[in-house]
Amino acid sequence: MNIGIFDQIALVLAVCVVAGGLAVLLRQSLTVGLIAAGIAVGPALFGLVEPTSEIELLATVGTSLLLFVVGLKLDIRILRRLGPVAFAAGMGQVVFTASIGFGLARLLGFDAVDALYLAVGLTFSSTIIIVKLLTDKRELNTLYGRIALGILVVQDLVVVAAMLAITAVGDVGTLSEPGIIDRIGGVLLRAAALLGVVIVMGRLVAPRLTGVFERQGELLVLAVVTWAVLLASLSLQLGFSQEVGAFLAGVSLASTPYRDAVASRLGTIRDFVLVFFFIELGTRVDPATVTEQLVPILVLSLFVLLGNPIIVMLIMGGLGYRRRVAFKTGLTVAQISEFSLILVALGVQQGHVGTDLLGVVTVIGVVTIAASTELIHNADRLYRRLAPALRMFERSRGRVLPDPRLAVDRPEYVVIGVGRLGSQVLDDLLERGDRVLGVDFDPRGIKRTRWDLPVVYGDADDPELPDQLPLGETRWVIITVRDLPTDLHLIRSLRDGGYRGGIAVAADDPALCERLLEAGADVTLRPWHLSATPVVEAVLEGTLGDDDVEAGP
Amino acid sequence: MTGDLLGQIGLVLLVCVVLGALAIAVRLPLLIGLLVAGVVVGPDVLGLVRSSTEIELLGEIGIALLLFVVGLKLDPRLVRKLGPVVLVAGTIQVAITAALAFAITRSFGLEVVPSLYLAAGMSFSSTVVVIKLLTDRGQIEQLHGRLALGILIVQDIVVVALMVVLASFDPDSTASLLEQFGSIALRGVGLFAVIALLARFVLPRVVHVLARRGELLVLSAVTWAVALAAAAHLLGFSEEVGAFLAGVALASSDYREAISGRLTTLRDFLLVFFFIDLGTQLRFEGADDLALIVVLSLFVLIGKPVLIAVISTLLGFQAGVSVRAGLTLAQISEFSLILAALGVSLGQLDGRSAGVVAAVALITITLSTFLSAQADRLLPMLCRPLAPLQRARVRREMEQRTVRRPEVIVIGLGRLGMTVFEELRERGVNVLGVDYDPRTVQFESGDVPVVFGDLEDPELPTQLPLERVRWIVATPRDPEVHRSFLHALHRRGYRGRYVAAADHVEDERLLQQLGVDLVVRPLQLAARPLMDIIHAHDRRAPSGPVTLE
């Protein structure tokens, strides 16, 4: 059937919309729908799409563009802020997964080089997908979100190094050939050149150009994309891959003021391009490969889906994090990365491995991406089910002991949930000189910005929490968690445990306030309503009475 | 992708960026820079690019998106509200301009078909340029601005109709002219009817489901456009027409703004490829063309405004208004270029004639910008000859139009924003809400004034009706976002009050330094009453349950 390219695209898009719509109606994530669409239109099922140059163009440009946007969002300063956790978890996971993965692959019958590629490929998690999922769920700024991002940054850096290394090995040839030093030198020089351009642009050139691009939005986008394309091309010329170039181009701009303006404008293009990325992924699923290599594919996919999260949870548990945070972070590494595919493709290009390995990795990619997206989508529900079983990952803490340095062993006021509202309350109380204690599941994060606040570990979901708190002289417990089941739970266990002081709870909905009061809270407050009032009054005063408030341009 | 192609594209884009920046530096629209860049990188000058299918495809998608967005903004209710006067003015203007241009080109010896293309091309004015001109000077709500926009809408409709006819018209076919017209009409009506039915019954429900996810909405919109483009192609029309009709079908949907807002960047980006592709097909040869170019340019720069001014005055507008409107419209359009590109692809227009159109576009767009800047100075001189034509009772208003003139705008309808918004509405204040989540917008639409907009979008101030606004309340917490938004507001000339929300004391100080009139720290405000209650009672809880709100 000789349909024109426009018609082909129309058909593919239509399938995507239908699949996407179904996914949304069934309350699943959009990603899964798109992947399903990709498989449907590819040679595996309906065979609607052959890899023509145009669709492939859109897909390869797409990956580079996606990596550019990812690079744009990865501020290296995140690493500094998160410190050891991200590094430990990221590197730890890479090391463990690679080693165990290598062993598994050898057991399954792959030869050494193939097994090495597999092992390395399986360790990386997909930055593109995780950043997108976290942004959609608006959980990018939560504790687990930031740790996950840190892990991803560490891994991406490892990937870039790995890709440079693979190319280097290719260029350098075998050790016995003469002139080895020269060739190694050549590769290092070229890598240095590439990184040099990136740094110069990021630190010196880009910040100076702010004035030029300030006024015109479209020009800014155009300029930024031009930079990405040029760097990708340079990277290609220097013998590295274009994806690395695009990614580095994004990183070079990540600390400039353009970042937000560009990222928000590129958002739509990125989403659009992501569609083609998933389609392309789906179309590369070769049914023959699936049947031949079914066992290895299943085993390795399960390894990624279960093994990676477990490794991360172990590491984070060891570092003292609570199971909820560890669990949610663990879920974010339960898939392989677009870089895994690119890495293996590079290996094929260099002649280290065959194309059938690429097929295997592609299928593993599809399976793990789809499955992990579903898992993340339903993370909260899953956690509630699995919470008891996850205790094994936590270091047992016994009683919650306040930090002896803070000498708060008999607080008058306890604030559970030291978020923005909680820390404000603690502040106000401290100002009056009261003895206070804050309880939160991320005391370290809080201490980074507010070292002076007395905060200890405590998981609001833990039914033992009230027993562990020194409530003997507490007059008020203030709960700012803002999750109805948790709040009700806490109120109940506080009262059951014999606490007779006051309980104040924050909630937004008047109906929720009612329920909380019925359950035993003494005071509820609606923070947003309280904050809106001064604004409304100022505006009313200004609008109705004030005639010299000028209007308009 | 081969390294060559990538590098090529990179260099081409670089030229576009440089020339684009130059254009902006001399206060010309970006469009000019891109057009020049297209010519420069083409085979005649730098030879960086030969015509390639990939670039052409991207350009085609860009045009389809452009027409989709044009259709999207063509609210049929708006057209009805503009009233017959403007429609008449527009139609007459197009007809006479085209006729005169046709005469000119024929006298220079061009064949009939190319002359038709050029004649049509001369009669359109550029929506992009005009809107930019009017917005920059804050004149978009004034009478002459609305008159100009009304005429432009008429032109849009004519353009599309023309594209339909031209694409389907086959000069070599054996069927008679009448038969061909009949066939076109039949197919056209059929397509239109199907789309109208879908738009009325099927689309609203489907869109409602798809709007739950922002990107699914955009994806669906693009799919709809591409699908209709393909369908149009199947029926023998051009793809652009299908895209346009797809847009019109969604023009009365509540999600219209959400869709068009998100597609702008993609569209502008893809249009770059259109200009590059066009540039590769232009040919400039010799002095003959130069004379034609000069004459046509003068015709557009002088003749067109005169024509518009005369027609408008005769239809009852004040001379000054008519002249201003005319001066604003003294250029040709990107649509003239698109039409020319269509002609080339159909084999009905040669590269030289397309080159003429491009040259006239360049000259007239550039000069009309300067011309309309001098409007005030030229006005008295130009109005005098028109005075005798002016009617005794002059129109001072166009037909009734419900215009949103809010006094307060609330940006960001999260928990804080929504609370403020609702309270103000309850007290009878004329308030407009702005949010970027399509679901918020839909939920509140209909009677409740909420529009789509993103605080981080640097173009937001130009999209908001700021004329009567005294207060802007912006609820996002990031002081940097407020900084850039305030900057953009001041550039627009906003002098009303600004309220920002913040979390920390340091942010509050920063915002106060920026000149924010009122900073609200929601958390502090929320915590205060709690503190009062807590300290009012010693060990005992209050006598009964209390809610602080």
Side-chain angles (χ1 to χ4, degrees):
Chain A
M1 187 170 33
N2 185 21
I3 25 177
I5 180 67
F6 228 73
D7 307 322
Q8 215 177 37
I9 292 184
L11 208 56
V12 167
L13 287 179
V15 174
C16 285
V17 171
V18 169
L22 271 175
V24 166
L25 275 174
L26 294 172
R27 301 199 174 280
Q28 301 311 309
S29 72
L30 190 56
T31 311
V32 169
L34 292 176
I35 293 181
I39 299 179
V41 301
L45 263 187
F46 294 133
L48 283 172
V49 166
E50 306 102 46
T52 56
S53 93
E54 282 88 2
I55 289 211
E56 198 180 305
L57 172 79
L58 285 171
T60 42
V61 167
T63 317
S64 302
L65 183 66
L66 285 170
L67 288 170
F68 172 67
V69 176
V70 162
L72 209 55
K73 292 205 169 214
L74 290 190
D75 202 348
I76 308 271
R77 295 178 291 191
I78 291 180
L79 271 182
R80 237 181 286 152
R81 247 187 278 153
L82 278 176
V85 177
F87 196 72
M91 285 307 288
Q93 196 240 300
V94 167
V95 167
F96 278 115
T97 310
S99 351
I100 304 179
F102 183 73
L104 254 182
R106 291 291 274 146
L107 275 176
L108 286 167
F110 289 97
D111 70 56
V113 180
D114 280 2
L116 186 63
Y117 265 88
L118 268 177
V120 173
L122 294 178
T123 56
F124 303 120
S125 321
S126 174
T127 316
I128 292 177
I129 293 178
I130 295 301
V131 168
K132 177 148 175 57
L133 279 174
L134 287 178
T135 316
D136 284 348
K137 290 179 79 177
R138 304 207 192 182
E139 291 185 353
L140 203 56
N141 273 321
T142 58
L143 176 64
Y144 91 87
R146 284 180 276 147
I147 296 179
L149 208 58
I151 294 179
L152 291 169
V153 170
V154 168
Q155 288 185 356
D156 284 336
L157 293 175
V158 172
V159 158
V160 172
M163 291 181 72
L164 292 176
I166 291 182
T167 327
V169 168
D171 287 346
V172 164
T174 54
L175 286 168
S176 54
E177 287 183 38
I180 183 91
I181 305 285
D182 292 334
R183 280 200 294 280
I184 293 183
V187 171
L188 284 176
L189 202 66
R190 280 178 285 149
L194 187 64
L195 291 172
V197 171
V198 170
I199 295 176
V200 164
M201 183 60 170
R203 286 297 182 84
L204 298 174
V205 179
R208 303 260 164 86
L209 293 176
T210 327
V212 177
F213 294 115
E214 206 188 10
R215 268 183 280 151
Q216 264 286 3
E218 302 121 52
L219 193 61
L220 178 62
V221 171
L222 196 61
V224 157
V225 171
T226 308
W227 165 237
V229 171
L230 284 174
L231 201 62
S233 168
L234 177 66
S235 173
L236 207 58
Q237 301 282 6
L238 286 175
F240 307 111
S241 86
Q242 73 188 49
E243 287 88 359
V244 169
F247 178 68
L248 288 174
V251 171
S252 73
L253 294 176
S255 26
T256 62
Y258 311 125
R259 185 176 73 157
D260 296 310
V262 174
S264 62
R265 278 166 183 271
L266 283 180
T268 317
I269 302 184
R270 180 204 62 190
D271 290 337
F272 196 64
V273 156
L274 200 57
V275 170
F276 284 99
F277 173 73
F278 288 128
I279 295 175
E280 223 250 341
L281 204 60
T283 62
R284 283 202 263 147
V285 170
D286 182 9
T289 315
V290 175
T291 39
E292 277 168 20
Q293 305 268 36
L294 194 61
V295 172
I297 289 177
L298 281 176
V299 170
L300 292 172
S301 299
L302 275 174
F303 171 59
V304 170
L305 280 170
L306 296 175
N308 280 2
I310 290 180
I311 292 170
V312 165
M313 285 197 282
L314 279 171
I315 297 177
M316 287 183 69
L319 287 172
Y321 283 88
R322 309 309 283 168
R323 56 202 160 133
R324 191 153 159 268
V325 175
F327 178 70
K328 286 185 125 178
T329 315
L331 280 185
T332 63
V333 299
Q335 84 284 119
I336 69 171
S337 163
E338 57 281 356
F339 271 123
S340 312
L341 299 168
I342 295 172
L343 211 71
V344 177
L346 201 61
V348 170
Q349 199 184 59
Q350 297 281 341
H352 297 167
V353 292
T355 47
D356 47 317
L357 191 69
L358 186 58
V360 170
V361 176
T362 307
V363 178
I364 296 179
V366 170
V367 171
T368 54
I369 289 177
S372 72
T373 309
E374 281 306 299
L375 288 174
I376 295 176
H377 198 66
N378 298 304
D380 292 309
R381 242 178 294 166
L382 268 173
Y383 174 70
R384 274 192 258 274
R385 291 270 192 85
L386 295 173
L390 292 173
R391 268 185 198 279
M392 70 173 106
F393 292 107
E394 284 178 342
R395 283 219 287 244
S396 59
R397 285 248 142 199
R399 288 193 68 92
V400 171
L401 294 171
D403 188 335
R405 287 174 299 173
L406 297 171
V408 188
D409 51 350
R410 279 181 314 209
E412 298 175 288
Y413 302 98
V414 172
V415 176
I416 303 184
V418 186
R420 299 189 298 189
L421 182 60
S423 49
Q424 183 68 54
V425 171
L426 276 177
D427 258 338
D428 286 356
L429 289 167
L430 277 173
E431 251 179 77
R432 290 185 45 113
D434 296 318
R435 293 198 306 274
V436 299
L437 182 65
V439 178
D440 195 87
F441 64 70
D442 177 27
R444 251 187 231 137
I446 297 166
K447 288 230 201 282
R448 200 147 282 120
T449 44
R450 299 301 313 275
W451 55 271
D452 53 327
L453 286 182
V455 184
V456 294
Y457 281 122
D459 192 339
D461 286 328
D462 189 346
E464 319 245 312
L465 180 64
D467 294 334
Q468 296 169 350
L469 291 174
L471 297 172
E473 289 185 22
T474 306
R475 301 187 195 182
W476 280 92
V477 172
I478 298 146
I479 305 175
T480 67
V481 173
R482 249 115 25 109
D483 173 44
L484 186 65
T486 312
D487 291 341
L488 289 172
H489 194 75
L490 270 171
I491 298 175
R492 232 167 277 139
S493 32
L494 277 169
R495 294 297 185 212
D496 288 344
Y499 173 68
R500 279 189 232 299
I503 299 181
V505 188
D508 290 307
D509 200 305
L512 291 183
C513 289
E514 292 252 343
R515 290 191 58 185
L516 289 166
L517 290 172
E518 280 168 32
D522 298 295
V523 174
T524 57
L525 77 154
R526 294 174 61 200
W528 299 112
H529 207 260
L530 285 166
S531 337
T533 312
V535 178
V536 172
E537 288 182 356
V539 171
L540 284 176
E541 221 178 308
T543 314
L544 299 177
D546 195 0
D547 275 318
D548 13 285
V549 180
E550 294 198 48
Chain B
M1 186 188 315
T2 64
D4 285 342
L5 187 56
L6 193 61
Q8 220 178 35
I9 292 187
L11 284 173
V12 166
L13 287 177
L14 189 62
V15 172
C16 289
V17 170
V18 169
L19 287 174
L22 270 174
I24 292 173
V26 288
R27 314 222 100 213
L28 289 172
L30 181 60
L31 184 71
I32 296 282
L34 294 180
L35 189 58
V36 175
V39 173
V40 164
V41 301
D44 276 354
V45 181
L46 280 182
L48 278 176
V49 160
R50 294 150 290 121
S51 179
S52 80
T53 41
E54 285 94 351
I55 294 183
E56 196 184 310
L57 174 69
L58 289 174
E60 267 185 40
I61 301 181
I63 297 297
L65 273 181
L66 173 68
L67 281 157
F68 177 63
V69 174
V70 168
L72 205 56
K73 301 202 173 202
L74 209 67
D75 192 354
R77 296 173 290 190
L78 181 67
V79 176
R80 240 178 289 143
K81 279 182 207 151
L82 280 177
V85 186
V86 178
L87 295 176
V88 169
T91 320
I92 299 180
Q93 180 258 312
V94 169
I96 299 184
T97 313
L100 287 174
F102 185 72
I104 296 178
T105 51
R106 286 290 277 155
S107 74
F108 267 81
L110 262 72
E111 301 280 325
V112 174
V113 175
S115 294
L116 278 173
Y117 271 95
L118 262 72
M122 295 304 118
S123 52
F124 306 126
S125 304
S126 171
T127 317
V128 165
V129 173
V130 170
I131 290 190
K132 187 171 190 322
L133 278 176
L134 290 173
T135 321
D136 280 352
R137 289 189 203 126
Q139 295 173 345
I140 215 167
E141 289 290 327
Q142 294 180 16
L143 190 55
H144 74 267
R146 308 216 331 241
L147 177 58
L149 287 178
I151 295 181
L152 283 171
I153 291 183
V154 173
Q155 289 181 356
D156 283 344
I157 301 179
V158 172
V159 158
V160 175
L162 246 159
M163 290 175 85
V164 173
V165 170
L166 281 171
S168 341
F169 176 63
D170 189 359
D172 303 321
S173 123
T174 48
S176 79
L177 209 61
L178 199 62
E179 278 175 14
Q180 280 196 39
F181 255 51
S183 157
I184 293 174
L186 204 66
R187 280 176 286 153
V189 168
L191 183 64
F192 197 75
V194 169
I195 295 179
L197 281 171
L198 282 175
R200 185 77 164 71
F201 298 111
V202 176
L203 279 188
R205 237 160 280 171
V206 172
V207 170
H208 194 63
V209 168
L210 296 170
R212 286 194 216 166
R213 295 291 180 82
E215 64 258 24
L216 189 56
L217 182 66
V218 174
L219 182 65
S220 318
V222 173
T223 308
W224 171 240
V226 173
L228 273 180
H233 188 68
L234 223 63
L235 285 174
F237 300 111
S238 76
E239 283 127 354
E240 289 84 2
V241 172
F244 176 75
L245 287 173
V248 174
L250 287 173
S252 23
S253 155
D254 297 313
Y255 299 102
R256 183 175 72 159
E257 295 294 324
I259 298 175
S260 65
R262 285 166 192 244
L263 283 179
T264 323
T265 316
L266 185 61
R267 174 200 72 184
D268 291 338
F269 183 67
L270 290 175
L271 277 179
V272 171
F273 291 98
F274 166 72
F275 286 114
I276 297 173
D277 189 51
L278 181 65
T280 63
Q281 294 170 1
L282 300 178
R283 301 275 173 273
F284 295 104
E285 292 169 37
D288 284 342
D289 288 347
L290 193 61
L292 177 60
I293 291 173
V294 169
V295 172
L296 282 176
S297 302
L298 283 173
F299 171 63
V300 169
L301 283 168
I302 303 178
K304 222 157 121 174
V306 167
L307 199 61
I308 294 175
V310 168
I311 296 174
S312 309
T313 316
L314 283 174
L315 285 173
F317 289 94
Q318 198 189 16
V321 168
S322 310
V323 170
R324 274 192 203 273
L327 284 175
T328 317
L329 295 170
Q331 77 286 117
I332 69 172
S333 166
E334 58 275 11
F335 275 117
S336 317
L337 293 169
I338 294 176
L339 208 66
L342 181 66
V344 170
S345 71
L346 288 173
Q348 294 176 351
L349 195 66
D350 56 306
R352 278 180 66 186
S353 308
V356 169
V357 176
V360 174
L362 240 128
I363 297 175
T364 55
I365 291 178
T366 312
L367 290 180
S368 75
T369 314
F370 295 128
L371 204 63
S372 68
Q374 303 300 317
D376 292 321
R377 235 178 285 173
L378 298 168
L379 214 59
M381 173 179 66
L382 295 170
C383 283
R384 238 175 297 143
L386 286 172
L389 296 171
Q390 217 172 255
R391 292 223 266 206
R393 259 177 333 163
V394 154
R395 279 174 206 279
R396 293 206 179 277
E397 270 298 326
M398 301 236 282
E399 268 76 56
Q400 258 307 347
R401 216 174 80 142
T402 44
V403 177
R404 257 186 212 139
R405 306 277 189 103
E407 290 186 307
V408 180
I409 298 184
V410 177
I411 304 181
L413 297 177
R415 293 184 288 193
L416 178 61
M418 189 60 95
T419 315
V420 171
F421 180 70
E422 281 172 353
E423 294 231 350
L424 285 173
R425 280 209 3 124
E426 265 173 57
R427 313 275 193 111
V429 176
N430 189 351
V431 56
L432 178 71
V434 178
D435 199 81
Y436 65 83
D437 186 339
R439 278 168 301 162
T440 319
V441 180
Q442 159 65 353
F443 175 67
E444 298 292 334
S445 77
D447 262 353
V448 181
V450 177
V451 295
F452 176 79
D454 189 346
L455 192 64
E456 295 190 35
D457 183 356
E459 308 287 314
L460 183 63
T462 50
Q463 294 167 357
L464 295 174
L466 294 174
E467 295 73 30
R468 297 246 180 95
V469 174
R470 303 218 214 163
W471 288 87
I472 292 184
V473 178
T475 60
R477 306 288 206 281
D478 184 353
E480 289 305 313
V481 169
H482 286 291
R483 184 205 293 267
S484 44
F485 185 60
L486 268 173
H487 195 50
L489 275 177
H490 287 316
R491 248 186 299 133
R492 256 283 263 152
Y494 176 69
R495 284 196 293 272
R497 302 260 181 101
Y498 191 83
V499 179
D503 281 331
H504 310 296
V505 172
E506 307 86 54
D507 292 341
E508 180 174 2
R509 269 184 235 133
L510 194 81
L511 288 168
Q512 278 164 346
Q513 278 169 355
L514 289 173
V516 170
D517 298 282
L518 174 63
V519 179
V520 174
R521 286 173 55 206
L523 303 171
Q524 186 199 35
L525 290 167
R528 211 32 31 103
L530 179 65
M531 293 297 108
D532 292 339
I533 281 225
I534 285 179
H535 289 111
H537 303 80
D538 253 72
R539 278 189 174 238
R540 288 164 298 121
S543 42
V546 166
T547 296
L548 298 169
E549 53 185 2

